[in-house]
Amino acid sequence: LTRKSFLLVEDGGNIEFTDAAELSADDSFLTVAGGGDIILSGTGTSDITNGSQFIVRGGNIEYRDQKNIFFDASSFAISSGNFLTFNDAIFNMESQSRGSVTGGNFVLRDSSTVNMFDSSHVEIAAGNVEMYNNGAVNMLDSSIAVTGSGGSGGSFLLSNFVQLSMTTSSVTVSGGDFISS
């Protein structure tokens, strides 16, 4: 997808790239509205670059298996859904990439990895960051913010051999807890 191309799925359908399928998005938009998901699974690399956006309303963004995803100067936004990374997937954000999850959780599990570099930022509102089972988050000059909504705070939860590595970076939790077990 290049030069302001759009891929839109509505009314509960999904956008899926599975097995060895690879996605390249340059200054383009993938949108799922009405309860569907964006799913990247299998093997291979997907490059999301130059201001591209993933937008999901009422569904999830899922990365799994050995998929390697690069967000470079791009963004994702999820409302009433979750960001899920599991089964050895690697998700990379760099060059001031941005992500937001509103009314859902940011979940990392099962030996998957999230790398955030070059002033990238993720904000989770009215939800939690949950990291389990040998996952890793590596941050360089980047930030994660967890904020509550409507009187309930969001939390940052680490459990079962999770590595959180931060260099000149920040994790901010407002109205909730930071728990490592």
Side-chain angles (χ1 to χ4, degrees):
L1 301 173
T2 60
R3 296 186 181 174
K4 303 203 181 302
S5 296
F6 292 85
L7 179 55
L8 170 65
V9 176
E10 297 181 295
D11 300 324
N14 299 325
I15 296 175
E16 297 187 47
F17 291 85
T18 63
D19 301 321
E22 296 188 356
L23 168 65
S24 178
D26 179 16
D27 190 21
S28 297
F29 302 85
L30 279 76
T31 302
V32 176
D37 303 324
I38 296 177
I39 301 170
L40 282 74
S41 65
T43 60
T45 300
S46 294
D47 294 306
I48 318 303
T49 62
N50 194 25
S52 292
Q53 297 181 37
F54 280 13
I55 301 169
V56 178
R57 300 182 189 101
N60 302 319
I61 294 179
E62 298 183 24
Y63 302 115
R64 56 184 184 232
D65 306 323
Q66 283 99 38
K67 191 65 79 177
N68 201 341
I69 302 97
F70 288 90
F71 264 67
D72 188 342
S74 295
S75 65
F76 67 86
I78 305 168
S79 56
S80 300
N82 302 301
F83 178 99
L84 307 170
T85 303
F86 49 97
N87 299 125
D88 301 307
I90 300 174
F91 178 72
N92 303 282
M93 297 179 70
E94 55 191 34
S95 303
Q96 299 181 359
S97 289
R98 295 287 182 264
S100 67
V101 181
T102 303
N105 300 316
F106 184 99
V107 180
L108 169 76
R109 67 179 193 221
D110 303 331
S111 301
S112 58
T113 301
V114 172
N115 298 311
M116 299 176 61
F117 306 121
D118 305 325
S119 299
S120 293
H121 177 74
V122 172
E123 181 163 352
I124 296 88
N128 300 317
V129 173
E130 302 176 6
M131 302 181 183
Y132 307 104
N133 300 337
N134 302 300
V137 176
N138 303 302
M139 301 171 62
L140 175 63
D141 299 323
S142 295
S143 58
I144 297 174
V146 184
T147 60
S149 178
S152 64
S155 294
F156 197 106
L157 311 171
L158 306 172
S159 178
N160 197 11
F161 305 108
V162 174
Q163 172 185 311
L164 173 61
S165 175
M166 301 168 56
T167 303
T168 55
S169 297
S170 66
V171 169
T172 305
V173 181
S174 300
D177 301 310
F178 183 97
I179 301 172
S180 180
S181 63

